[in-house]
Amino acid sequence: ADVVISAIGPSRAGGDSRSGLNSAVTSALIPAMESAGIDRYLTVSGAAVVMPGDARNLTGWWMRQLVRLRYPGILKDRQDEHALLLQSELNWTLLRCPLIEGEDLKSSPQVSLRTPGGFYLRAGELAHFMLAQIDDPQYQRLGPFVSSH
């Protein structure tokens, strides 16, 4: 294997019932990947995760507030996952996504390092973008916001 792609996370219906899942998986994957000589890691995260360089517009601010109020355990887990990645030597990309809808690819998604572009993302657009990132160093060790037009 050359890359690990993770889309593990709580379902919309599951809410906080799976808090800690992402940080637990990532903390197990980091040493396993390093041991196997795999250094590329792509993971789906949430648009409410804060990273250096963020300059959220009103949409991004509201999105974060809603998640903080509704899913504080999931947000903490996602922030913990980011902290683990920062400490690792992996070439990771943390894809910060809003609500993911089960729709096909219609166009290329909006991508920003500063603020979320919208409140939802088509699953087909996420998949297309993730696959393009396997060999593209543009967003390595960064957390781009990805959303649909």
Side-chain angles (χ1 to χ4, degrees), residues 7-66:
I8 292 173
S11 67
R12 187 180 297 179
D16 267 348
S17 66
R18 299 300 299 165
S19 291
L21 179 64
N22 286 78
S23 56
V25 167
T26 298
S27 67
L29 277 174
I30 290 170
M33 288 176 66
E34 290 171 347
S35 175
I38 302 167
D39 77 339
R40 189 69 173 116
Y41 183 50
L42 299 162
T43 185
V44 175
S45 189
V49 171
V50 173
M51 295 178 70
D54 286 357
R56 292 172 185 267
N57 61 16
L58 185 58
T59 299
W61 181 85
W62 270 113
M63 195 176 295
R64 177 157 168 75
Q65 301 315 308
L66 292 171

Side-chain angles (χ1 to χ4, degrees), residues 19 46 68 71 86-87 99 112 115 119 125 127 129-130 133:
S19 291
R68 279 184 50 212
Y71 302 109
L86 281 175
Q87 295 170 13
L99 291 175
S112 170
T115 193
F119 282 98
E125 292 167 9
F129 184 76
M130 284 184 86
Q133 296 313 301

Side-chain angles (χ1 to χ4, degrees), residues 2 19 23 33 36 40 42 44 51 54 57 70 74 78 80 84 92-93 96 102 111 115-116 121 123 127-129 135:
D2 297 319
S19 291
S23 56
M33 288 176 66
R40 189 69 173 116
L42 299 162
V44 175
M51 295 178 70
D54 286 357
N57 61 16
R70 179 96 167 119
I74 292 172
R78 301 288 188 163
D80 291 348
L84 289 166
W92 51 267
T93 301
R96 293 188 284 173
V111 181
T115 193
L121 174 62
H128 179 76
F129 184 76
D135 295 317

Side-chain angles (χ1 to χ4, degrees), residues 7 44 95 97 100 109 121-131 146:
V44 175
L95 298 150
C97 304
I100 299 171
L121 174 62
R122 292 178 193 92
E125 292 167 9
L126 172 59
H128 179 76
F129 184 76
M130 284 184 86
L131 292 175
V146 185

